Amino acid sequence: MEKPRRCYDVVVIGAGPSGAVASSILSEKGYRVLVLEKQHFPRFSIGESLLPQCMEILESAGMLQAVVEAGFQYKNGAAFATNNQYSSFDFREKFSNGWGTTYQVQRAQFDKVLADCAAEKGVEIRYGHDVVAYKDRGNQVQLDVISEDNTYQVEAKFILDASGFGRVLPKLLGLEKESTLSPRVSLFTHIEDGINHSEYDRDKILISVCPENNQIWYWLIPFSDGRASVGLILPREIYEQNQISNHDLLRQYISKTTTMNAFLEKAKFDIDVRKMDGYSCDVTHLYGDKFALLGNAGEFLDPVFSSGVTIALKSADLATHVLDKQLKGLAVDWETEYAQPLKQGVNTFRAFVDGWYDGTLQDVIFAEDKSTQIKKMISSVLAGYAWDKKNPYVKDPNRLKVLAELCRT
């Protein structure tokens, strides 16, 4: 039987982190919120290494206790390795105020924890429901939805697109545009890591640089159950030259490293290796008259500094504050109150991503003699505090180039 057409204050597309947080905040403010999620939870997702900045937003959304009690792997920083060089950043030793620790999470479990929290706060979540059309009806928006049982319409005063890489509204409304970042391919999987190496710090994500090409790098993200996420990032043109399976290619590149290969000596690669091609994406604008884009539905940069979930949660926090005012009949400016503040942090991360691939940031990270104060400033950005304008490297990310020159000399 077809579901009756119903009207909500807000419909959120996607039940991932940004959708769960946004819907939860709005529900607690008294709005009638519906979340439409194409998949069924729990489901596999990549992006397992959180940043401390996330904790503040989860706490304000009333979700922190559930995350803490879920038993995820504790995380206090990031480590970097290349050739025989090793450098680490402890996020507790940072310039910005706020959380200095967080977690490494299996996203299937983490996303379900957040979605369940939203449901407990009164949010209606429909799993297996795919939004296929957006129609502006004047005072409201009508969405056409396909479920496993039927097709129906739902109406809302406002739509938040939290569909991540599904990018529902950018595709339906023609908002997509190419990223300025070069196209890259990601290969990744979960493994039984078998790590008992005395030098391995399980409390940090490990980023390793390929000794043959600093455009190629790897991640190792440990979980609390003896498993880990491993992945490889390489330029698309290099990937297209390979003649072997993705599994063999990942193993081959890991074998080129000194540190990571030693750590994974006893690892069991027991799950298929997945591939994501050309993951960097952008949009022409982040909002419209009756919609706003959250997280990866708007822009995704690169996984190197684990900024994805942080940007997603920050976008949810910013958007719900603006939307609350709008639904109350107050005047709002989505450009100055949402898009510009969000982009400030995104642009900070972008400068660090650009610096990673042009070698600038790698020179800084692997410099032998680091100023304690400057290291704290860099650590703050790596910890997700990309919106702290008191940090000189947030206020002017181009300072990285000057710092790199100093490190080289």
Side-chain angles (χ1 to χ4, degrees):
M1 182 177 179
E2 183 178 351
K3 289 182 179 290
R5 180 181 298 178
R6 301 178 66 182
C7 184
Y8 293 80
D9 294 312
V10 182
V11 170
V12 179
I13 305 173
S18 62
V21 167
S23 63
S24 179
I25 291 172
L26 291 169
S27 181
E28 286 202 311
K29 291 181 180 295
Y31 297 108
R32 191 178 183 194
V33 184
L34 170 67
V35 176
L36 298 171
E37 168 57 51
K38 183 177 180 179
Q39 296 180 289
H40 289 275
F41 282 21
R43 53 86 178 96
F44 182 90
S45 183
I46 201 67
E48 301 97 342
S49 195
L50 304 184
L51 301 181
Q53 170 76 89
C54 295
M55 307 301 283
E56 176 183 324
I57 300 173
L58 293 172
E59 186 174 27
S60 66
M63 296 178 166
L64 183 60
Q65 182 176 350
V67 172
V68 170
E69 293 177 350
F72 295 119
Q73 170 65 44
Y74 172 82
K75 174 186 174 183
N76 63 22
F80 300 84
T82 181
N83 293 319
N84 293 318
Q85 292 178 285
Y86 181 89
S87 179
S88 65
F89 290 79
D90 189 324
F91 293 158
R92 296 166 296 183
E93 300 171 0
K94 64 186 188 324
F95 175 85
S96 304
N97 294 325
W99 285 79
T101 63
T102 185
Y103 297 101
Q104 324 249 46
V105 301
Q106 294 96 325
R107 284 287 304 279
Q109 181 186 358
F110 175 74
D111 290 9
K112 189 174 187 306
V113 166
L114 299 192
D116 289 347
C117 281
E120 290 172 2
K121 296 177 185 295
V123 176
E124 180 184 349
I125 303 179
R126 299 179 187 173
Y127 294 101
H129 290 242
D130 186 16
V131 175
V132 296
Y134 174 104
K135 301 170 185 176
D136 192 326
R137 299 301 193 194
N139 293 329
Q140 296 179 324
V141 171
Q142 176 185 298
L143 299 179
D144 291 355
V145 185
I146 295 178
S147 72
E148 295 161 346
D149 302 320
N150 57 10
T151 299
Y152 64 96
Q153 290 77 41
V154 65
E155 294 179 348
K157 299 174 185 177
F158 202 89
I159 309 298
L160 291 175
D161 186 351
S163 59
F165 288 113
R167 299 170 64 77
V168 172
L169 291 191
K171 292 177 180 177
L172 291 177
L173 303 181
L175 306 176
E176 293 186 295
K177 73 174 184 180
E178 288 189 11
S179 172
T180 58
L181 298 172
S182 299
R184 296 183 173 89
V185 173
S186 174
L187 302 179
F188 51 89
T189 188
H190 286 180
I191 63 171
E192 181 180 324
D193 61 62
I195 301 174
N196 58 9
H197 199 287
S198 60
E199 297 180 6
Y200 182 59
D201 185 351
R202 203 169 185 89
D203 295 339
K204 293 178 175 63
I205 181 176
L206 174 64
I207 301 296
S208 298
V209 182
C210 178
E212 300 171 354
N213 185 339
N214 71 354
Q215 296 293 298
I216 301 172
W217 62 273
Y218 326 75
W219 74 73
L220 172 57
I221 302 171
F223 301 137
S224 59
D225 60 356
R227 297 187 65 81
S229 170
V230 294
L232 164 70
I233 300 291
L234 67 169
R236 180 186 287 163
E237 63 269 19
I238 293 180
Y239 173 79
E240 291 176 344
Q241 296 170 7
N242 96 86
Q243 302 294 321
I244 58 178
S245 70
N246 290 336
H247 175 275
D248 291 342
L249 186 64
L250 176 59
R251 297 294 299 270
Q252 182 184 89
Y253 268 102
I254 289 175
S255 70
K256 296 176 185 291
T257 68
T258 301
T259 304
M260 190 167 171
N261 189 47
F263 290 162
L264 297 180
E265 180 182 11
K266 299 179 181 179
K268 295 181 180 179
F269 287 69
D270 52 2
I271 296 179
D272 289 342
V273 172
R274 302 182 184 223
K275 169 192 169 188
M276 187 178 293
D277 189 0
Y279 47 77
S280 298
C281 51
D282 202 353
V283 290
T284 56
H285 49 279
L286 289 169
Y287 62 92
D289 184 40
K290 300 180 185 68
F291 72 87
L293 309 179
L294 307 182
N296 295 349
E299 181 175 8
F300 182 77
L301 297 172
D302 191 272
V304 64
F305 300 121
S306 306
S307 62
V309 174
T310 302
I311 293 173
L313 296 185
K314 185 69 174 181
S315 69
D317 185 54
L318 289 170
T320 51
H321 281 86
V322 182
L323 182 53
D324 178 39
K325 291 169 58 179
Q326 179 171 314
L327 292 174
K328 288 176 177 175
L330 302 176
V332 299
D333 185 337
W334 279 90
E335 181 63 26
T336 59
E337 295 180 65
Y338 176 64
Q340 290 179 12
L342 181 62
K343 287 179 180 178
Q344 181 222 315
V346 173
N347 289 338
T348 301
F349 281 124
R350 180 183 288 106
F352 272 57
V353 169
D354 288 340
W356 175 263
Y357 286 108
D358 67 21
T360 300
L361 188 55
Q362 293 189 31
D363 287 341
V364 171
I365 287 173
F366 292 112
E368 293 185 3
D369 298 316
K370 298 184 181 72
S371 157
T372 300
Q373 184 68 359
I374 291 177
K375 185 174 182 180
K376 288 181 177 180
M377 295 174 183
I378 300 299
S379 183
S380 284
V381 177
L382 297 180
Y385 293 94
W387 289 267
D388 179 10
K389 294 182 181 179
K390 295 179 182 179
N391 187 338
Y393 292 91
V394 172
K395 186 176 182 180
D396 181 14
N398 289 324
R399 293 171 64 99
L400 269 177
K401 297 178 181 178
V402 177
L403 179 59
E405 286 299 322
L406 292 173
C407 291
R408 294 183 188 117
T409 57

